[in-house]
Amino acid sequence: YCLEYGYEIYPVYVFGESQTYYNYNGCLSEKYKNLLNKYQLPAIWAMGPYWYCLPLLPYANTGIHIIYGGNTYYEKVENPTQEKIDSVHKWYMDEINNLFERNKWRFGYDDSVKLKIM
């Protein structure tokens, strides 16, 4: 969309978001998870500290920190080529990884921790 409509892009990474809930994996079979994934539904069961009465309330002692990088503006392109789309995607993924690498020490991550983008 950024190429088709000429958007300005800011890469953003959120530290601490993955610690707001506990993801219980034991109750769903692999067959059921695949069925949910087929319909693009998440196959997770996220629980907070009060799982027995307020399961969607997140853990309160988790810090959530939003870090954003430098922006870039893309001119509007009517029919962007796949090569151009791939170059913008690569730039964005590289910037996300750079944000993580530059800031992980601030939030208690060891130097050996690497960001895995799937």
Side-chain angles (χ1 to χ4, degrees), residues 3-31:
L3 292 172
E4 292 177 349
Y5 297 103
Y7 287 158
E8 186 174 13
I9 299 177
Y10 289 86
V12 177
Y13 188 82
V14 180
F15 286 91
E17 185 179 21
S18 62
Q19 284 82 36
T20 56
Y21 291 98
Y22 171 73
N23 184 15
Y24 181 72
N25 290 318
C27 66
L28 298 175
S29 71
E30 197 65 34
K31 182 178 178 181

Side-chain angles (χ1 to χ4, degrees), residues 2-93:
C2 74
L3 292 172
E4 292 177 349
Y5 297 103
Y7 287 158
E8 186 174 13
I9 299 177
Y10 289 86
V12 177
Y13 188 82
V14 180
F15 286 91
E17 185 179 21
S18 62
Q19 284 82 36
T20 56
Y21 291 98
Y22 171 73
N23 184 15
Y24 181 72
N25 290 318
C27 66
L28 298 175
S29 71
E30 197 65 34
K31 182 178 178 181
Y32 188 63
K33 287 180 184 180
N34 290 336
L35 177 67
L36 290 174
N37 287 334
K38 180 179 176 183
Y39 295 103
Q40 297 181 348
L41 296 171
I44 62 168
W45 184 3
M47 296 182 295
Y50 306 106
W51 57 269
Y52 47 88
C53 62
L54 297 170
L56 297 180
L57 190 64
Y59 288 100
N61 60 348
T62 302
I64 296 179
H65 307 279
I66 301 169
I67 305 295
Y68 62 94
N71 66 322
T72 189
Y73 178 77
Y74 288 98
E75 295 290 332
K76 185 176 180 178
V77 178
E78 289 292 324
N79 294 310
T81 64
Q82 188 62 46
E83 182 178 298
K84 182 65 175 172
I85 294 169
D86 291 343
S87 72
V88 171
H89 184 256
K90 182 180 180 338
W91 172 84
Y92 188 80
M93 292 294 112

